Amino acid sequence: MNFDLDQEHELVRTTVREFAEQRVAPVAEELDREGRFPYELVAEMAELGLLGMTIPEEYGGAGADTVAYAIAVEELTRVDSSVAITMAAHHSLGTLPIYNYGTEQQRREWVPELASGAKLAAFGLTEPSAGSDAGATRTRAELHDGRWVVNGSKIFITNAGTDLTACVTITARTGDDEVSNIIVPNGTPGYEISKPMKKLGWRASDTRELSFEDAAVPEANLLGPRGEGFQQFLEILDGGRISVAAMGVGLAQGAYDLAYAYAQERAQFGQPISKFQAVQFKLADMATELEAGRNMVYKAAWLKDQGRDFALAAAQAKLYTGELSNRVVNWALQIHGGYGYMDEYAISRLYRDQKILEIGEGTNEVQRMVIARHLGL
């Protein structure tokens, strides 16, 4: 077994880390405070090829593998979760469904602009009454005269309302026992997007509520065969869990880095607090859990790249790294003491950004349900 990353993966890590530290870190606190979407950084990520990493080059992507993508997400989250989720949601939820399930015409129409980062895309699954129970979708789409007429609402949708957003792919009932996915372009009459939602964390990312009132789109906007939407979004979520698991590792690494540096600088009782066993043991525990979590994420990504069943590994990685990031960021803030509670210190932002990692892409409880099913329980 070889746990070394190859040169291409190491180059991805170096490139994204430099971008995160040199371009994202200096403005992260400001973006969070103002709740401002990072258009300039999105443009720079597009230039680096980060917004279509695993999309083949013929469709405008970078042609990278899932391991490289997970590394990029991890390195961005190490510095700022809002920038990371903007990239990850656009790629795994916005672009990949169209590439994976779309017709060749749909791919040619949508994917090149999305993979290049010229435009962003969103995926509309969650509804006010359909969160963990995603199968309880109430949004409906009825076929009339060659057009799907959509009525319903979605909530907590990332990247849906930016100036760059081209479309949202939504789940909708196209029959009594039938769920399908439909591409709805931004600007479609009857499709309304709320103002940005105010959040505990991820404040610089775009999160909206969507409503559809007789919003009509061409019949050709159906994504994949009619009635296969449920299976499609289950597969989409499997891949998305690798993204969020990578975010868990990245955020935990960022929290560890901050705590390690602070422990070296902060002196109490005549010596740096890093000399005290209580602090040393916390840092040792953090480093150990990070090693475990990172290996779980990379294994899930590797399995996906090998074309093997990765759903169990992705759910386990997402569950573990979500709870790992909770423990690590809490320990890291504790090491900072009272200063960690102040917004002047980056650890307070990481503390707020962490919680959603135990909720988004399926709550911890849902992950345990998924894992239990894979265990045959």
Side-chain angles (χ1 to χ4, degrees):
M1 298 176 69
N2 182 8
F3 289 94
D4 291 328
L5 296 175
D6 61 31
Q7 289 184 343
E8 291 184 3
H9 292 141
E10 292 290 1
L11 179 60
V12 168
R13 186 184 299 285
T14 300
T15 302
V16 180
R17 180 170 294 188
E18 288 179 355
F19 168 73
E21 292 180 346
Q22 296 173 12
R23 301 295 299 140
V24 181
V27 297
E29 188 275 333
E30 176 185 321
L31 291 170
D32 176 77
R33 183 179 67 253
E34 297 178 0
R36 177 161 51 88
F37 187 76
Y39 286 103
E40 300 85 355
L41 297 177
V42 170
E44 292 183 44
M45 286 194 290
E47 291 179 5
L48 290 173
L50 299 182
L51 297 182
M53 283 193 70
T54 70
I55 300 296
E57 294 180 10
E58 65 175 300
Y59 293 98
D65 62 14
T66 311
V67 173
Y69 169 67
I71 290 170
V73 173
E74 174 190 343
E75 289 297 329
L76 288 173
T77 316
R78 179 173 163 264
V79 171
D80 184 66
S81 293
S82 291
V83 171
I85 190 57
T86 298
M87 174 265 211
H90 165 71
H91 181 275
S92 67
L93 301 181
T95 306
L96 278 181
I98 299 176
Y99 175 75
N100 288 343
Y101 309 116
T103 63
E104 187 60 24
Q105 182 178 347
Q106 288 172 332
R107 287 182 174 185
R108 295 296 177 187
E109 178 181 358
W110 295 103
V111 175
E113 275 197 324
L114 300 179
S116 69
K119 294 291 184 180
L120 297 179
F123 187 74
L125 173 62
T126 304
E127 298 184 3
S129 298
S132 294
D133 183 11
T137 295
R138 293 184 178 179
T139 297
R140 301 193 67 85
E142 298 177 347
L143 195 57
H144 294 294
D145 300 324
R147 299 179 70 80
W148 291 106
V149 180
V150 183
N151 286 279
S153 63
K154 302 290 180 179
I155 199 167
F156 311 140
I157 308 305
T158 303
N159 290 340
T162 77
D163 294 343
L164 298 172
T165 305
C167 63
V168 60
T169 299
I170 63 163
T171 56
R173 292 202 170 276
T174 50
D176 291 338
D177 297 311
E178 181 180 273
V179 175
S180 304
N181 288 324
I182 298 172
I183 303 170
V184 181
N186 278 38
T188 297
Y191 170 29
E192 299 293 334
I193 304 171
S194 76
K195 293 181 179 180
M197 303 181 79
K198 294 184 178 181
K199 309 185 292 290
L200 173 68
W202 289 6
R203 291 180 174 175
S205 71
D206 181 79
T207 308
R208 309 279 183 144
E209 184 171 5
L210 316 179
S211 63
F212 306 89
E213 186 174 350
D214 293 332
V217 300
E219 183 178 1
N221 282 28
L222 181 72
L223 190 62
R226 177 171 175 169
E228 293 193 5
F230 190 84
Q231 182 60 37
Q232 287 174 1
F233 76 65
L234 289 180
E235 294 172 0
I236 291 165
L237 292 177
D238 285 339
R241 283 167 186 151
I242 295 176
S243 302
V244 180
M247 291 188 70
V249 170
L251 187 140
Q253 183 67 60
Y256 170 84
D257 293 343
L258 293 172
Y260 184 92
Y262 185 82
Q264 302 277 6
E265 299 166 1
R266 177 66 168 169
Q268 290 288 279
F269 305 103
Q271 60 181 338
I273 63 173
S274 62
K275 298 298 183 182
F276 294 106
Q277 190 178 73
V279 174
Q280 292 176 349
F281 279 14
K282 285 300 182 189
L283 290 168
D285 287 345
M286 294 157 77
T288 301
E289 291 213 46
L290 270 165
E291 181 68 12
R294 182 171 288 112
N295 277 288
M296 292 181 75
V297 174
Y298 290 2
K299 179 183 178 182
W302 177 82
L303 286 170
K304 187 173 188 293
D305 287 333
Q306 298 302 309
R308 292 163 61 177
D309 189 351
F310 66 93
L312 173 59
Q316 290 174 326
K318 197 274 183 186
L319 170 64
Y320 184 77
T321 60
E323 296 187 348
L324 150 68
S325 62
N326 182 304
R327 291 189 292 272
V328 171
V329 76
N330 190 59
W331 292 336
L333 193 146
Q334 188 72 16
I335 288 173
H336 280 76
Y339 288 103
Y341 202 66
M342 302 296 112
D343 277 342
E344 288 82 358
Y345 282 74
I347 191 62
S348 70
R349 172 168 49 84
L350 270 64
Y351 189 86
R352 289 185 285 103
D353 285 340
Q354 183 280 325
K355 187 58 189 175
I356 190 62
L357 299 179
E358 300 177 81
I359 299 171
E361 291 284 347
T363 64
N364 293 3
E365 293 77 15
V366 167
Q367 301 313 310
R368 287 182 166 90
M369 290 166 57
V370 171
I371 293 166
R373 283 201 297 268
H374 281 280
L375 297 179
L377 300 174

